[in-house]
Amino acid sequence: PTFPMAAIVCLAAAAASALPAETKPASVHSHPARLKPVHEAVAPMREAACGPARMDRVGGATGRRGVMHHTAKLAAAAALLVQGTTREGQAAAAPRALSDVVSKIPGYGMADLFFPSYFKGKWDCISELVDIQMPSGEELVPNLSEVNNLRRFLGSPETLLRYNQTYFSFRDQVIADRGINTRAARNALRFDGENKEWYMPLREREPITDVTWDPANPNFLSYTAPEGMRYEVLVTKRAFEKPNPNVFITSEVVRQTQTDMSQMQAPVVKQVKDQVKYRYIPGSDPPTIQAILISDVFLTPQDARLEDYIKAGNKPVTVYRTRILMTKAD
């Protein structure tokens, strides 16, 4: 549930819902089998009183002159950080100093999402898509048939997905392993409500390839899907807050570029704002986190007519709401 997980998971669920029964293989057990039955596992999520997170404005300087002045001061501070060390030390310190400087430039946001220490490790996640809204009207939704098809399955087992998410320590902070997590979400298991078992669609057993992600530069991720689509994902804004020790709220704006490598066509650009509210359950055994994920999908000039883009303005055209149950797996 970090990075563009909503877009990945929701669209994967839509694809799974369209699969004919004969394409579903026997169940697979690549995840820990110690979880409760799915109807018991998902029940607590229905009772979670989690509201939407908010996106905070980042940076205090306003206007081009203010931003440039603020950035110049930060760059000078970064230079001081790497002075007075050996050449080898400067080479090692420079990337981190540059990353810290960029994170403080107004409009760029924080260097990454820094999670509470209890996130560290591997988690077994079950997600349930519970609601889809079209606040700007159906006429502005470019993939309306796909969205309507997915809405038909709300409240049914076909919207359940199961996948792993991993968090690790980097530079004294706990962050999400976005490379591993993207692989896991793209290969999520589906739930067969009739046979009461998890399965992986045959056409999705081929993993994504060429995954590029660097924790020192966490804003960019790219990968190639089996069907030949190349995805490049860029985080343009982020914020997080911790209202109390057991609640953690994150917000990221992500721009995803999708390029069909087999055709000479212009890339498809999408912009998604993911907001997640995590609630850690104290004393749970194994450790458990409940979360609510709200994904706002916006029009871009590339995927809409100019008049539709202007009409939508700053409002999302599609809003997905997903509940997630995370259980510690290691």
Side-chain angles (χ1 to χ4, degrees):
T2 57
F3 228 49
M5 289 298 101
I8 293 172
V9 170
C10 292
L11 295 181
S17 68
L19 284 176
E22 60 269 16
T23 64
K24 298 179 180 180
S27 61
V28 296
H29 304 283
S30 59
H31 293 258
R34 55 182 171 79
L35 286 184
K36 298 178 181 179
V38 66
H39 66 278
E40 296 181 19
V42 175
M45 296 192 292
R46 301 184 186 277
E47 303 172 3
C50 295
R54 61 183 176 86
M55 169 66 83
D56 294 328
R57 293 184 62 85
V58 180
T62 57
R64 185 174 65 176
R65 181 173 298 177
V67 170
M68 292 178 65
H69 179 66
H70 186 63
T71 304
K73 291 196 299 183
L74 290 170
L80 290 174
L81 286 175
V82 298
Q83 285 181 0
T85 62
T86 64
R87 181 167 298 180
E88 291 76 10
Q90 290 178 1
R96 179 170 185 175
L98 182 59
S99 176
D100 292 341
V101 166
V102 170
S103 71
K104 294 178 176 63
I105 296 176
Y108 278 75
M110 303 171 183
D112 204 348
L113 297 177
F114 301 141
F115 290 83
S117 58
Y118 53 76
F119 270 83
K120 185 177 180 180
K122 188 176 182 180
W123 296 79
D124 191 5
C125 304
I126 295 178
S127 70
E128 178 190 21
L129 181 64
V130 295
D131 188 40
I132 302 175
Q133 297 292 329
M134 292 175 276
S136 299
E138 292 188 357
E139 66 276 6
L140 294 184
V141 179
N143 59 334
L144 181 60
S145 60
E146 184 178 279
V147 172
N148 282 334
N149 180 58
L150 189 54
R151 292 181 77 179
R152 295 191 299 111
F153 293 95
L154 292 178
S156 68
E158 278 75 8
T159 64
L160 293 172
L161 299 174
R162 190 174 182 181
Y163 50 92
N164 289 330
Q165 295 285 274
T166 301
Y167 302 81
F168 68 105
S169 294
F170 181 73
R171 295 177 178 172
D172 303 322
Q173 300 285 354
V174 176
I175 65 173
D177 191 322
R178 298 171 187 260
I180 289 179
N181 292 351
T182 299
R183 288 179 185 270
R186 287 286 309 202
N187 292 302
L189 301 180
R190 315 297 194 261
F191 188 72
D192 185 340
E194 182 178 351
N195 296 315
K196 309 299 182 185
E197 61 186 12
W198 295 99
Y199 72 95
M200 181 178 292
L202 290 173
R203 66 179 181 182
E204 296 188 16
R205 288 195 170 189
E206 189 177 348
I208 61 177
T209 58
D210 301 326
V211 179
T212 301
W213 179 74
D214 182 357
N217 181 25
N219 293 334
F220 178 78
L221 179 145
S222 64
Y223 63 91
T224 301
E227 64 272 16
M229 290 290 185
R230 181 67 179 172
Y231 293 87
E232 294 184 347
V233 185
L234 179 68
V235 178
T236 59
K237 284 186 180 180
R238 68 162 54 90
F240 62 86
E241 58 181 317
K242 190 177 180 182
N244 65 62
N246 298 321
V247 174
F248 187 64
I249 300 172
T250 68
S251 184
E252 287 190 325
V253 176
V254 174
R255 183 172 298 156
Q256 176 179 287
T257 302
Q258 176 183 325
T259 305
D260 189 342
M261 305 302 291
S262 63
Q263 300 182 22
M264 298 296 293
Q265 295 180 347
V268 177
V269 180
K270 296 187 179 298
Q271 182 164 297
V272 180
K273 178 181 178 181
D274 281 346
Q275 301 173 93
V276 191
K277 185 172 184 179
Y278 301 91
R279 187 182 300 275
Y280 178 71
I281 308 302
S284 53
D285 185 22
T288 300
I289 296 174
Q290 295 174 353
I292 190 77
L293 165 65
I294 299 176
S295 295
D296 297 338
V297 181
F298 298 87
L299 284 182
T300 64
Q302 289 85 353
D303 65 1
R305 295 179 303 172
L306 180 60
E307 55 266 34
D308 289 344
Y309 176 70
I310 295 174
K311 184 177 179 180
N314 293 325
K315 291 180 61 178
V317 293
T318 316
V319 178
Y320 298 90
R321 190 179 182 91
T322 304
R323 292 192 181 100
I324 305 168
L325 181 68
M326 304 171 61
T327 306
K328 202 67 175 291
D330 57 2

